[in-house]
Amino acid sequence: MARPVLDFWFDFASTYSYPAAMRIGSLAEAAGIDVRFRPFLLGPIFKAQGWETSPFNLYPAKGRNMWRDLERLCADLSQPFARPDPFPQNSLLAARVALAVPETKREDFCTAIFRMQFANGRRIDQPDAIGTILAGLETDPTALLAAAQTDAIKDKLRAVTAEAQRLGIFGAPTFITADGELFWGNDRLERALAWTQRGK
Amino acid sequence: MARPVLDFWFDFASTYSYPAAMRIGSLAEAAGIDVRFRPFLLGPIFKAQGWETSPFNLYPAKGRNMWRDLERLCADLSQPFARPDPFPQNSLLAARVALAVPETKREDFCTAIFRMQFANGRRIDQPDAIGTILAGLETDPTALLAAAQTDAIKDKLRAVTAEAQRLGIFGAPTFITADGELFWGNDRLERALAWTQRGK
């Protein structure tokens, strides 16, 4: 029987997508679930509701709480945490490369980008740094960075982002089950996996 | 030794404050923690950041997810759930009465208001219905409903709401520990209790 599948939607710049990305692999494996990493861009979705930047910047009290909460959360998970500067990072190039990377390497590429940003506090918009990650995954950095600039990949990312919006996604991380149930937030990951297993 | 205390801040109209109010009593008792029920008004805090109604109404995708998520959450907790109409409910009178009620009856009054709204789908702004709850708690409905309209109680609610804003509260439910740690959201209740127990 085919293993059940859970879609994991995220923007690389999204703060709570970091613990979700670090946790989902082993939790899904233990539950016998396949995860599809679905990078998209939150920017156009935020713009459509009138936000020009992250709501964590627009609403300072909410933002202060998020940074503190994320710090506590990462401490509880024994995950290193560094606050990205600037925030939000420009996630366009990383998202395009993630779509160009072979599917078998996508999860490793995505978690490496999250670690670079939130564990090591480095920018994620630099081709050199992304190239180093690609080389470490035994892929061809030059070819993939070039592929990321093609119309095919640019169009693909636009289509994926439009799909996210059509699915009702308004933030990240978001988990969507095969039967269309949407769960928003790192703190709903366990519930999304349970739903995927039980079908309710 | 005095038992540790956790402040539970909520607006009666706040959706996720319902499961928090239903859960906090027994969880805190098991952890040896005293809870202070702190009703306040979210309206003035929302207005200060430019919102004239609940963000769940302002951002429809977010709102749709909240209602579905709350429905799933209550099912998991075996709590009845009815969607209030209109939403948000006017919580002014209930909040004033909650401040007028004797402290020993406050928690029971607050959970009864939450049940009336989210379990039974009834309005919470009607003096008669609030009076019935007060009578059930063996308090004097007439005296308390009159007290709720005095300047002393009106000023108290204004002061409490100003305190919430000063503490950095931007949504509900919010839990604040004796050492000033703020936890936002029903899904942070367990973490807030653990922090209160361990002091970190």
Side-chain angles (χ1 to χ4, degrees):
Chain A
M1 211 177 82
R3 282 157 58 108
V5 174
L6 182 64
D7 278 347
F8 168 36
W9 291 84
F10 59 90
D11 182 312
F12 282 111
S14 148
T15 52
Y16 285 108
S17 295
Y18 166 52
M22 296 298 113
R23 297 187 321 116
I24 198 168
S26 56
L27 289 175
E29 192 46 48
I33 291 167
D34 286 338
V35 175
R36 287 198 298 186
F37 275 60
R38 311 285 317 257
F40 72 107
L41 295 183
L42 264 177
I45 291 176
F46 283 172
K47 272 211 181 97
Q49 59 187 34
W51 296 343
E52 291 296 322
T53 179
S54 163
F56 295 128
N57 291 341
L58 293 172
Y59 304 108
K62 201 179 170 82
R64 272 192 299 278
N65 173 68
M66 180 276 292
W67 292 116
R68 178 62 180 143
D69 187 55
L70 194 62
E71 189 181 23
R72 288 187 306 234
L73 188 60
C74 289
D76 286 351
L77 297 169
S78 303
Q79 289 283 352
F81 171 68
R83 183 168 166 169
D85 180 27
F87 173 80
Q89 293 275 303
N90 183 335
S91 55
L92 180 64
L93 179 61
R96 285 178 178 164
V97 173
L99 295 181
V101 158
E103 215 177 300
T104 55
K105 307 272 185 177
R106 189 165 296 143
E107 176 169 347
D108 287 343
F109 174 77
C110 294
T111 53
I113 293 283
F114 276 116
R115 272 196 303 272
M116 177 164 78
Q117 179 183 194
F118 289 105
N120 303 327
R122 294 180 54 203
R123 298 177 63 123
I124 60 167
D125 60 351
Q126 310 291 307
D128 281 1
I130 291 179
T132 303
I133 286 176
L134 291 170
L137 296 173
E138 292 171 14
T139 60
D140 182 342
T142 312
L144 288 170
L145 286 165
Q149 302 300 353
T150 60
D151 284 345
I153 289 291
K154 291 179 181 179
D155 287 348
K156 194 169 171 185
L157 182 56
R158 270 185 220 108
V160 163
T161 297
E163 184 188 351
Q165 196 159 13
R166 211 164 43 238
L167 290 169
I169 290 175
F170 56 92
T174 292
F175 312 100
I176 301 190
T177 65
D179 61 348
E181 202 71 16
L182 183 155
F183 295 86
W184 170 55
N186 169 64
D187 37 36
R188 293 298 185 277
L189 171 54
E190 283 81 355
R191 190 65 185 80
L193 289 166
W195 187 286
T196 303
Q197 268 189 319
R198 305 196 312 245
K200 66 168 180 141
Chain B
M1 213 177 79
R3 283 156 57 107
V5 174
L6 182 64
D7 277 349
F8 168 35
W9 290 84
F10 59 89
D11 182 312
F12 282 112
S14 148
T15 52
Y16 285 107
S17 294
Y18 166 53
M22 296 298 113
R23 298 187 320 118
I24 198 167
S26 56
L27 289 175
E29 193 46 49
I33 291 168
D34 286 339
V35 174
R36 287 199 298 187
F37 275 59
R38 309 288 315 262
F40 72 107
L41 295 183
L42 264 178
I45 292 177
F46 283 171
K47 271 209 181 98
Q49 57 189 35
W51 296 342
E52 292 297 323
T53 180
S54 163
F56 295 129
N57 290 343
L58 294 171
Y59 304 109
K62 203 179 169 82
R64 272 192 298 277
N65 173 68
M66 179 277 291
W67 292 116
R68 178 63 180 143
D69 187 56
L70 194 62
E71 189 182 24
R72 288 187 305 234
L73 188 60
C74 289
D76 286 351
L77 296 169
S78 303
Q79 289 283 352
F81 171 68
R83 183 169 167 168
D85 179 28
F87 173 80
Q89 292 276 303
N90 184 336
S91 55
L92 180 64
L93 179 61
R96 285 177 177 164
V97 172
L99 295 181
V101 158
E103 215 176 301
T104 55
K105 308 269 185 180
R106 189 165 297 143
E107 175 168 348
D108 287 343
F109 174 76
C110 294
T111 53
I113 293 283
F114 277 116
R115 270 196 304 271
M116 177 166 75
Q117 180 183 192
F118 290 105
N120 303 326
R122 294 180 51 204
R123 298 177 64 122
I124 60 168
D125 60 352
Q126 309 291 308
D128 281 0
I130 292 178
T132 303
I133 287 176
L134 290 169
L137 297 173
E138 292 171 15
T139 60
D140 182 342
T142 311
L144 287 170
L145 285 164
Q149 302 299 352
T150 60
D151 284 344
I153 288 291
K154 290 180 182 178
D155 287 348
K156 195 169 170 187
L157 182 56
R158 272 186 218 107
V160 163
T161 297
E163 184 188 351
Q165 196 158 15
R166 214 165 42 239
L167 290 169
I169 290 176
F170 56 92
T174 292
F175 312 101
I176 301 190
T177 65
D179 61 348
E181 202 71 18
L182 183 155
F183 295 85
W184 170 55
N186 168 63
D187 38 36
R188 294 296 186 277
L189 171 55
E190 283 81 355
R191 190 65 186 79
L193 290 166
W195 188 285
T196 304
Q197 270 189 318
R198 305 195 314 244
K200 69 169 177 135

